[in-house]
Amino acid sequence: MSNTNPAAAPHSSGVDTKRSKFVQLCRTPWIPERLLREYGGRCSYDSKFRRAARILQIIWMRHHNIPSAIPDGERNTHLGSHLSAEAADAGLNFLSPAIHLLAVREMLLREENAAYDEDRLVGNALSSQPLVFNAFGPLALDLKLATKVFRQLLPSFVQMVDKVTFEHSPGRRVGRAEHDDRWLADRSAVDVALHVRTPEGESGIIYCEIKYSEDQTGPAARWRDRYDQALKQVRLYKDPSSRLLRSVELEQLTREHALSQLAVDNGVTPRAMFIAIGPRLNRRVQAAFQVYANELLPLDESDRSRVAFRHFTLEAFIDAIDVAGDQDTADRLWQRYCNFQRVYDAALSLLAPKAQPLAPTGGSSDEDQLHRKQDSKPSSRRRSSATAKSDQSAAAPEANRNGQ
């Protein structure tokens, strides 16, 4: 078995197959500066994808009448993608009250030393932290759905999903993992861990890392001597001394995959797999996944203790939810996180309000046609946590919170 190929699309393992109803644009749309100013999405160091993703979150907030943290009368700001204090406290950063309650419960009952940023989780629409709960919360609340989804994505590894946990590290089973040299001597953790039963009847764990608007430029964890030792110990890499594995773009994947292999080696689970999920249009994330995969040794079919790496697009994950039967969740995830047709339409209506598209550009739906004219932003009080920060800190990309 190769450990270097991207995962195949869903639609397998006994689940009824159908053509995906979700069609992505061929590339990330360019965002005019005027649109950024008008929507409150101006951030000087956003990547092309992150800029479009920020506007998509603002469109989603406007469509659902969610007040932003933009102070009255101020337009030259990035705070259009931040919820007001009242909206954040009401749980409006989540797709349902049940997911909000799950996120709060998981944050309160977090594992020892687990890293949560409450402001990002409840108040930052662009953050990948709420995406983790919006995408995996429905699966945690409905294990039958989780089983159907992952029997599509990983049919040779998953027969049934038994449990879903968040912000998890196997090293925390032994107390202070940062002082246990069986692990990585840090706080490295994955976003989600799915406890499964394999088709052979063994127990296993799928360790998951989820990306959204990250541009893979850091901040990175401080590299430790223990990491060098672990990279040789886990026997996953063609060259454990490779600089690529230690690069800002790849080091988090390196740490989390090594941690997943150590979970097997230290007897936490007999089998494991490490997967990564990110938007197809986020080219930097997709490139990081592929470059990392190319650093891995091919898997030996006879050695079931080896932890494989697979990467999926967020679009494929959402499509698997749709095929599994939860069309409502799939539709809401698509509209919020992947339907960049809405961003294209907003830019087109600003630059050429009387023009008509020559042909569909992909990803359009009846709902989108109703929202091309965006509602004006509801008035709101400024979110206290956002006003206390500078533009740079409040809009900063996701911190690498795992290797502190």
Side-chain angles (χ1 to χ4, degrees):
M1 179 187 297
S2 171
N3 205 355
T4 61
N5 294 328
H11 312 313
S12 59
S13 189
V15 180
D16 291 338
T17 62
K18 63 178 182 179
R19 187 179 184 86
S20 173
K21 66 183 180 185
F22 303 119
V23 181
Q24 186 56 278
L25 296 180
C26 60
R27 62 180 61 89
T28 303
W30 174 75
I31 309 300
E33 189 72 17
R34 287 165 53 195
L35 188 66
L36 295 172
R37 290 197 300 267
E38 180 177 324
Y39 278 54
R42 190 171 185 272
C43 183
S44 61
Y45 53 83
D46 275 354
S47 65
K48 181 180 179 181
F49 177 83
R50 186 177 175 84
R51 182 178 299 173
R54 191 184 296 277
I55 293 297
L56 181 57
Q57 293 310 302
I58 296 171
I59 291 173
W60 172 80
M61 289 171 61
R62 288 186 173 195
H63 171 54
H64 291 280
N65 296 317
I66 298 174
S68 77
I70 298 178
D72 291 339
E74 183 176 336
R75 303 185 71 83
N76 192 26
T77 177
H78 65 275
L79 293 176
S81 58
H82 290 250
L83 282 67
S84 70
E86 295 86 350
D89 292 342
L92 300 186
N93 207 17
F94 302 96
L95 297 183
S96 72
I99 296 174
H100 173 224
L101 181 60
L102 173 69
V104 173
R105 184 185 69 191
E106 292 291 329
M107 183 171 62
L108 293 175
L109 297 177
R110 71 185 75 180
E111 295 177 359
E112 190 71 23
N113 277 328
Y116 279 89
D117 185 326
E118 182 180 358
D119 285 339
R120 286 189 185 273
L121 181 63
V122 303
N124 186 344
L126 186 62
S127 171
S128 61
Q129 292 188 40
L131 167 61
V132 169
F133 283 98
N134 285 325
F136 280 85
L139 278 60
L141 296 170
D142 183 352
L143 294 178
K144 290 183 178 179
L145 174 65
T147 294
K148 291 179 181 178
V149 169
F150 275 89
R151 287 182 68 182
Q152 291 178 72
L153 297 174
L154 298 170
S156 65
F157 193 78
V158 177
Q159 178 66 27
M160 182 175 295
V161 177
D162 293 324
K163 184 173 66 172
V164 179
T165 58
F166 296 87
E167 191 57 30
H168 170 71
S169 171
R172 292 180 184 140
R173 294 163 53 98
V174 296
R176 295 182 63 82
E178 63 269 31
H179 298 307
D180 191 326
D181 59 10
R182 290 180 299 170
W183 304 97
L184 296 182
D186 67 358
R187 299 173 66 191
S188 290
V190 295
D191 290 318
V192 183
L194 295 98
H195 297 252
V196 306
R197 276 176 275 173
T198 71
E200 296 78 20
E202 294 178 285
S203 60
I205 300 177
I206 303 169
Y207 296 106
C208 312
E209 175 62 27
I210 296 92
K211 299 294 186 185
Y212 185 55
S213 65
E214 290 87 343
D215 59 10
Q216 303 303 105
T217 59
R222 174 178 60 84
W223 195 263
R224 294 162 165 81
D225 291 340
R226 172 58 185 143
Y227 297 167
D228 292 324
Q229 299 167 1
L231 264 56
K232 297 176 182 178
Q233 178 182 344
V234 295
R235 297 182 291 117
L236 292 170
Y237 305 107
K238 297 173 183 176
D239 178 9
S241 63
S242 168
R243 291 185 179 182
L244 283 174
L245 297 173
R246 294 155 172 79
S247 67
V248 172
E249 295 83 359
L250 303 189
E251 62 85 20
Q252 186 179 13
L253 296 173
T254 302
R255 286 186 287 109
E256 293 180 7
H257 194 184
L259 186 67
S260 303
Q261 183 63 62
L262 290 172
V264 174
D265 296 346
N266 289 326
V268 172
T269 179
R271 300 194 62 189
M273 182 172 287
F274 176 53
I275 70 171
I277 298 172
R280 184 172 70 83
L281 293 183
N282 191 333
R283 307 297 189 190
R284 296 184 184 184
V285 162
Q286 293 300 322
F289 292 168
Q290 187 59 59
V291 171
Y292 178 74
N294 290 338
E295 291 294 302
L296 299 172
L297 290 167
L299 288 181
D300 181 353
E301 292 277 8
S302 64
D303 188 352
R304 299 165 70 85
S305 69
R306 297 293 86 200
V307 176
F309 171 65
R310 297 289 181 270
H311 53 101
F312 301 90
T313 65
L314 181 57
E315 290 86 341
F317 180 79
I318 293 172
D319 191 48
I321 294 175
D322 180 70
V323 173
D326 192 346
Q327 289 83 16
D328 180 61
T329 292
D331 288 342
R332 287 185 292 162
L333 285 169
W334 179 265
Q335 295 302 327
R336 174 162 180 183
Y337 292 108
C338 292
N339 194 355
F340 287 90
Q341 176 76 36
R342 306 174 83 175
V343 177
Y344 169 86
D345 288 346
L348 183 66
S349 66
L350 178 69
L351 296 180
K354 295 182 180 180
Q356 296 294 323
L358 295 177
T361 56
S364 183
S365 68
D366 291 341
E367 177 183 312
D368 296 317
Q369 304 303 321
L370 297 176
H371 309 316
R372 290 188 179 183
K373 182 178 180 181
Q374 299 301 325
D375 297 331
S376 59
K377 180 183 72 65
S379 59
S380 63
R381 290 195 292 111
R382 189 177 184 180
R383 180 162 177 78
S384 58
S385 63
T387 58
K389 300 177 180 179
S390 67
D391 271 13
Q392 182 175 3
S393 61
E398 298 284 345
N400 188 337
R401 63 193 186 280
N402 295 331
Q404 302 169 8

